[in-house]
Each structure stands twice: as C-alpha cells, then as structure tokens.
C-alpha cells in the first residue's frame, strides 16, 4: 500500500442524472488540464473519447496520450480502490464520476478513510434549469435534496437559457438547502448538435405516459436493431418527460454510415455528437416504473425507424 507521501488525491464529482458530469469529464480529458490522473467513471461505456487521445487499451483501462487513463466503476468500490493503489505505478490523481443517484456524504466518508487516498475536493454539478422541477418530484425530490444538502461545493450548469432573476432565485434555493456550500458557475458548453423541441409528433405518439409505480426509479436498456431517425427518436423522448429522467447511448444513423451518434438526453434538452467509431446501437433509459419504460421503448422502436416525412 502507499505511504502518506504517496497518497492519491481524489477529485469527486457528483450530480443527479443528466446534470452534465460525463460532458465535464470529457472536457477535462480533451483539455489536458490534469496530468497523471485516472478517471474512474460510472458510465464508462458512454464515454466518447477522441481516438487521437488514446494510446492503448489494457484490460479495461484506456491509456491516454497525455499520461492519464480511464476505467469504469465496477463491483465493490473499496476493493477497486485497493487494486488501483497496488498498481506498479499508481496515478497521482483519481477523478471519480459518481452515479447520478449517489449521495455525496457516504462517498466522502469512504475516500477520507481509504488507505492510500486523500479527498482533494468534492463538487456537485447542478442543472439549474431542472432543479426546481426535480426538487418537487415525488419520486426523486428527497434524493436530490439530500445531494444538495450534503455538497460542500456546487457548480451550476445549464444557466444560459434562464433570466438573471431565474438564476438568482434558483441559486438562493440551492443556498438555502446548503448554507455553507461554495457555489460557482460552469462555463457555457461548446457548441453541439442540439435537437429541437416543439414538434407535434412526439405528443401524438405518447399522450398518456404517466408513472404507473410512483417511487420506482429504474433503468431499461433498449437495443436498436438498425439505423434510426434521430429527430423522431428525440421527439418521442421529449414527449415522455412525465416518466423519463435520462436517456443516453450510441445510435446508428444514416447520417453517420462510418460511425454512430452519441445521444445525451434530459428533460432540459438533448445533444447529439458524431463519433467516427462503431459502437453497439443501444439506449439506456432511466425513469419511473419499468412498465412505463418498456412501453416507451416499444414506441421508440416503432417510430424512430420510420422514414422522415
């Protein structure tokens, strides 16, 4: 094990589903602002790492050209931390992307007590455009409230579409839940292919989607058999905001014959990014009630494969 002089510094990034954690991690990797780091990521399969940054792949670990590496969170976290600390050359830094439903306090306690590690900082990424709705949600409101209350520092994301008064009101709401937390504002995101809202197609397809099992937060993986119409797919997702909290994955499209599209969807908006690598075409849906998500999956299968009008 490492002695105190060799301890690994931990940067812990928390935040509810769809708050933008993976996007922020990708930006940190691409910018190269941190060196000799291991990125330990909950949703490793959804990472879209630029091929030019990848030096090698070794047993589930991606080595990057900037001296960093990435691997996925798997199994028991304490056991995984022990394995990392016993590497022949452990990293100087560990950047941890927590699950979207994880609460900060237990993770902070784990890293504060883990031999060979010290907690350098903890940040909770907050989608301010969604925080009001999430706090009032009967299924996830208590979880989000605890995440905010336990965070020593928050980074406010997705504020660009709000007025100054809206930003101030929601910031005050966050500060009331965590009076001692330090609050900062994320930089505006780089331009991406943003899908549009407001088309009547989605509303016509799924007009009666409501939670069938209140309180049941579940995930559902949908495998797509062939290329999809990405516009129709996102329209169906947009119509399901009463039960859908997050959708993400890689999809094949006629627009990308030599690669696929990385789709990141939340009720606040969605982005589609081109990638030149092939991945299994699948979406992970996270929402309320397995029956709801199964029905939504059937609608996605039926309507996203239709040709555009």
């Amino acid at each position: 094990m490492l002695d105190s002089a060799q301890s690994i510094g931990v940067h812990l990034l928390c935040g509810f589903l769809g708050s933008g954690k993976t996007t922020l991690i990708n930006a940190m990797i691409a910018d190269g602002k941190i060196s000799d780091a291991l990125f330990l990521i909950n949703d490793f399969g959804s990472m879209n790492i630029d091929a030019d940054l990848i030096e090698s792949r070794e047993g589930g670990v991606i080595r990057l050209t900037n001296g960093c590496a990435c691997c996925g969170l798997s199994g028991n976290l304490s056991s995984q931390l022990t394995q990392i600390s016993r590497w022949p050359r452990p990293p100087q830094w560990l950047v941890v992307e927590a699950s979207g439903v994880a609460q900060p306090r237990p993770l902070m306690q784990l890293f504060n007590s883990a031999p060979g590690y010290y907690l350098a900082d903890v940040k909770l990424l907050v989608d301010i455009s969604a925080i009001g709705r999430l706090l009032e949600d009967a299924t996830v409101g208590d979880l989000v409230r605890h995440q905010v209350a336990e965070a020593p520092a928050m980074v406010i994301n997705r504020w660009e579409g709000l007025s100054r008064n809206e930003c101030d009101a929601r910031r005050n709401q966050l500060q009331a839940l965590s009076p001692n937390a330090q609050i900062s504002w994320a930089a505006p995101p780089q331009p991406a292919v943003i899908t549009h809202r407001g088309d009547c197609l989605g509303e016509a397809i799924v007009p009666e989607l409501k939670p069938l099992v209140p309180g049941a937060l579940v995930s559902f993986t949908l495998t797509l058999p062939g290329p999809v119409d990405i516009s129709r797919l996102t329209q169906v997702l947009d119509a399901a905001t009463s039960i859908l909290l997050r959708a993400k994955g890689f999809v094949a499209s006629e627009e990308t014959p030599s690669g696929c599209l990385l789709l990141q969807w939340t009720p606040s908006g969605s982005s589609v990014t081109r990638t030149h690598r092939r991945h299994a075409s699948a979406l992970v849906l996270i929402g309320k009630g397995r029956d709801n998500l199964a029905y939504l999956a059937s609608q996605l299968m039926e309507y996203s494969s239709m040709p555009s009008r």
Side-chain angles (χ1 to χ4, degrees):
M1 298 294 289
L2 304 178
D3 61 35
S4 58
Q6 298 172 300
S7 294
I8 300 170
V10 178
H11 298 281
L12 177 60
L13 181 62
C14 300
F16 189 68
L17 299 162
S19 60
K21 300 187 299 297
T22 299
T23 300
L24 181 58
I25 292 286
N26 265 319
M28 293 175 68
I29 292 172
D31 292 344
K33 292 182 179 179
I34 186 169
S35 60
D36 194 15
L38 173 66
F39 293 83
L40 192 60
I41 299 167
N42 186 60
D43 297 312
F44 186 62
S46 294
M47 288 292 287
N48 180 28
I49 301 171
D50 191 324
D52 291 338
L53 289 173
I54 298 176
E55 181 177 281
S56 64
R57 298 175 185 268
E58 308 164 14
V61 177
I62 292 181
R63 301 285 178 183
L64 304 178
T65 56
N66 62 6
C68 295
C70 298
C71 68
L73 277 168
S74 60
N76 182 281
L77 178 56
S78 295
S79 175
Q80 196 166 1
L81 293 177
T82 299
Q83 293 175 21
I84 292 168
S85 67
R86 289 174 174 167
W87 285 3
R89 185 185 174 281
Q92 180 181 0
W93 299 103
L94 183 66
V95 182
V96 180
E97 179 192 334
S99 162
V101 295
Q103 294 179 202
R105 183 175 293 129
L107 290 170
M108 292 164 61
Q109 293 171 342
L110 171 63
F111 287 113
N112 275 323
S113 62
Y117 294 86
Y118 69 94
L119 193 57
D121 65 19
V122 182
K123 289 185 174 66
L124 181 79
L125 195 59
V126 177
D127 179 353
I128 198 172
S129 69
I131 193 64
R133 171 181 51 77
L134 291 173
L135 288 171
E136 295 174 1
D137 190 287
T139 301
V140 301
D142 286 344
L143 169 62
V144 174
R145 195 171 291 107
H146 281 295
Q147 287 181 329
V148 172
E150 295 175 8
M154 286 179 270
V155 179
I156 294 178
N157 195 25
R158 303 201 180 108
W159 49 266
E160 301 85 2
L162 302 180
S163 69
R164 177 63 181 270
N165 288 341
E166 289 174 317
C167 286
D168 288 345
R170 296 181 190 185
R171 184 192 186 282
N172 291 340
Q173 187 178 23
L174 293 170
Q175 197 77 78
L177 291 170
S178 187
N180 297 320
Q182 296 180 339
I183 296 180
S184 59
W185 299 79
Q190 294 298 315
V193 181
I194 304 299
T195 60
H196 297 284
R197 298 285 175 89
D199 191 286
C200 64
L201 173 64
E203 296 174 2
I205 293 171
V206 282
E208 299 297 332
L209 270 176
K210 299 183 186 302
L212 301 178
V213 188
L217 187 63
V218 297
S219 65
F220 187 101
T221 300
L222 167 65
T223 301
L224 299 165
V228 300
D229 183 320
I230 193 67
S231 176
R232 284 177 176 269
L233 186 146
T234 52
Q235 286 165 11
V236 178
L237 296 175
D238 291 347
T241 54
S242 64
I243 59 98
L244 188 64
L245 295 168
R246 185 79 164 98
K248 56 189 173 181
F250 292 98
V251 296
S253 168
E254 293 181 357
E255 301 174 26
T256 55
S258 60
C260 57
L261 300 173
L262 171 62
L263 171 66
Q264 300 275 3
W265 182 95
T266 73
S268 300
S270 55
S271 66
V272 180
T273 308
R274 294 175 184 271
T275 172
H276 297 295
R277 298 197 306 278
R278 281 287 185 187
H279 297 266
S281 189
L283 282 178
V284 176
L285 309 175
I286 304 175
K288 309 169 191 176
R290 184 163 298 279
D291 289 344
N292 283 325
L293 297 188
Y295 173 67
L296 175 59
S298 70
Q299 302 304 298
L300 290 166
M301 292 282 285
E302 179 178 356
Y303 286 94
S304 66
S305 61
M306 294 174 61
S308 300
R309 287 179 291 186

